[in-house]
Amino acid sequence: MDAPVTPANAPFVARIELIGPIGPAAAEYVDGAIQRATDDGAKAIVLQLDTPGGLIESMRSIVSDILASKVPIIGYVAPSGARAASAGTYILYACPIAAMAPATHLGAATPVDLGGGTPMPSPLGNGLPSSSKSTDKATSGNNPLSDAESNKILNDAIAMIRSLAQMHGRNAVWAEQAVRGAATLTASEAAAQHVIDFVAADSSSLLAQADGRTVHVGEQSVTLAVRDLPIHDYPPDWRARFLGIITNPTIAYVLLLAGIYGLILEVFHPGSFFPGVTGGICLLIGLYALQLLPVSYAGLILMALGVALLLAEAFVPTAGVLGVGGVIAFVLGSVMLFRTDVPGYQVDLGVIVGIGCCAIVLLALLLRLVMRARRARAFNGDAQMLQSTGELLQAVAAGGQGWARIGGERWRVQCEAALPAGASVRVVSRHGLLLQVTTAQAGEGESS
């Protein structure tokens, strides 16, 4: 969807709403919206934030877009109850003007280790309470290589947010605390500590307080004249919306499974086309989404192994050993699939449990059918034929041959005694395609 059409040369302020986890779709949306607003001649851009955080690379992309923008960008955490946590704090610091609505907060900007569930360790001497230091020691482990890598990421994040604070003359000390110790502030506290420029209750108040301020845009100083200007929204276009849907980890996970099982159905039912075509499309979209997300290849391999074991159970009689192993591998792989603790970037546990339960039910049904098939009597062969009865289609002389209907089929038969047409007979032996029959006892009917 495009921005509203404005009269030529009419001044306006563009608004970009960055809501939810920050990922590849959000980064592409912000980049495109800033470019469109600039081309349309916006006097300023309001980047309205309400995010729990997101992926580091996507956050860096948005920060780069803000710093490269030719139009002043006003970061605004709104509405009331919103937050600019984790990656949102870096983005707010990157904006030339930063503001928050009442009852909002920001902070907790410690990078998350994509390989584990604990925040990056804080180096000693970081100004945190001793209890926090001891906790960091306990959680950092004894692996020097792991600690060194964690410290590199942590120090890089600190340098980044301090440089942003110094660029716009904001509180660099608190910015470092937000990264080292996951510190947070409310809107009023942030304004008092010079983390943001001011608190604004709504968009009108935001523009009124931003009006007349001088900010640096590139190498130029720009004085804002935005009081009472109309605000035009720049919502995501269809591509950004599509990327936002498929890069949801749960959606990507379901697409991957739909693709795998669609192709499996096509293999078992060749020529039906629909499962194969649908499965192929879903699999390609799912793989495209996975390459945009922090995926654990160990989890992906475990999922593939689980599917392979479940398929093997259908062909190899193991009394459920392969099937149970396949379910366990599939569920563990699903849990491990995404290597991040960032809010909004995990597969919904309920979806994993539901699919795992469905796999168990299907496995139990498959085993039941296998056991029933093993207990069922044979439907062909000499043993089954000796139990069959039928009806003569023509009279047979003693020791002669004729035709009879047995098991719904026409067979050549021979009988030691003379029998009339329509007589009930029972098979006693078989010699190639010739059946030896005798008179059926009373109560025996024609076999089906």
Side-chain angles (χ1 to χ4, degrees):
M1 181 183 295
D2 296 329
V5 178
T6 57
N9 301 324
F12 70 96
V13 173
R15 176 164 57 194
I16 302 171
E17 294 185 345
L18 188 53
I19 301 173
I22 295 171
E28 181 166 326
Y29 159 53
V30 172
D31 177 68
I34 290 177
Q35 186 61 49
R36 283 186 288 142
T38 302
D39 294 341
D40 291 343
K43 295 297 182 182
I45 298 174
V46 175
L47 181 59
Q48 187 166 310
L49 299 170
D50 182 8
T51 174
L55 304 178
I56 294 177
E57 291 304 319
S58 299
M59 175 270 292
R60 287 184 179 275
S61 176
I62 294 174
V63 169
S64 297
D65 289 334
I66 293 173
L67 298 180
S69 174
K70 299 178 182 179
V71 176
I73 296 181
I74 304 171
Y76 183 40
V77 185
S80 295
R83 55 179 170 168
S86 189
T89 303
Y90 296 82
I91 294 173
L92 190 65
Y93 259 87
C95 296
I97 293 180
M100 299 174 67
T104 58
H105 65 277
L106 82 164
T110 306
V112 174
D113 185 0
L114 293 180
T118 58
M120 297 299 175
S122 300
L124 298 179
N126 58 9
L128 297 175
S130 58
S131 60
S132 298
K133 294 178 184 178
S134 62
T135 301
D136 290 331
K137 286 182 181 179
T139 58
S140 62
N142 298 320
N143 188 343
L145 293 177
S146 175
D147 289 346
E149 183 66 23
S150 298
N151 287 333
K152 285 181 181 179
I153 298 175
L154 180 69
N155 291 331
D156 179 69
I158 291 172
M160 179 181 183
I161 201 167
R162 284 185 64 89
S163 66
L164 294 174
Q166 293 167 1
M167 175 182 293
H168 300 303
R170 301 201 184 103
N171 190 334
V173 175
W174 182 87
E176 184 172 345
Q177 292 177 353
V179 177
R180 289 189 185 276
T184 58
L185 291 175
T186 64
S188 57
E189 292 169 344
Q193 296 190 34
H194 199 48
V195 172
I196 62 173
D197 296 297
F198 52 83
V199 177
D202 53 31
S203 298
S204 298
S205 175
L206 175 71
L207 297 184
Q209 295 187 66
D211 188 71
R213 292 177 180 261
T214 300
V215 296
H216 293 284
V217 179
E219 298 180 355
Q220 299 180 346
S221 295
V222 177
T223 300
L224 296 179
V226 293
R227 184 186 295 270
D228 298 328
L229 289 184
I231 297 178
H232 294 165
D233 289 317
Y234 280 73
D237 58 15
W238 69 268
R239 175 180 168 83
R241 292 179 187 273
F242 177 71
L243 287 179
I245 293 172
I246 66 171
T247 54
N248 180 304
T250 300
I251 299 298
Y253 174 74
V254 172
L255 284 172
L256 188 65
L257 293 186
I260 292 173
Y261 286 108
L263 294 180
I264 290 174
L265 287 175
E266 182 66 30
V267 170
F268 281 102
H269 301 279
S272 53
F273 298 112
F274 179 76
V277 173
T278 304
I281 293 173
C282 290
L283 184 62
L284 290 176
I285 295 176
L287 291 175
Y288 175 74
L290 291 183
Q291 64 94 21
L292 296 175
L293 297 171
V295 175
S296 168
Y297 291 102
L300 199 59
I301 293 172
L302 271 175
M303 287 179 60
L305 176 61
V307 173
L309 290 176
L310 287 171
L311 289 175
E313 182 63 43
F315 300 99
V316 182
T318 62
V321 175
L322 290 179
V324 172
V327 172
I328 294 174
F330 183 83
V331 171
L332 290 178
S334 300
V335 174
M336 296 168 54
L337 184 58
F338 293 99
R339 303 179 293 108
T340 177
D341 288 334
V342 177
Y345 279 92
Q346 304 93 12
V347 177
D348 190 287
L349 188 59
V351 174
I352 296 177
V353 172
I355 292 177
C357 290
C358 290
I360 292 174
V361 171
L362 290 176
L363 176 62
L365 180 60
L366 176 63
L367 291 176
R368 181 181 178 185
L369 293 175
V370 169
M371 297 305 295
R372 178 183 295 178
R374 289 181 178 179
R375 292 194 300 266
R377 66 176 185 173
F379 286 95
N380 51 30
D382 289 347
Q384 176 64 23
M385 184 62 71
L386 295 179
Q387 303 174 13
S388 300
T389 59
E391 178 184 355
L392 285 176
L393 298 177
Q394 63 184 105
V396 177
Q401 297 181 3
W403 291 95
R405 180 180 290 108
I406 299 174
E409 299 174 338
R410 288 171 55 91
W411 283 89
R412 190 71 174 172
V413 298
Q414 184 178 27
C415 185
E416 296 298 332
L419 295 175
S424 295
V425 295
R426 177 171 57 85
V427 179
V428 295
S429 64
R430 183 169 73 91
H431 306 283
L433 297 178
L434 179 63
L435 302 181
Q436 191 72 31
V437 298
T438 186
T439 303
Q441 297 178 0
E444 292 181 347
E446 183 180 352
S447 63
S448 57

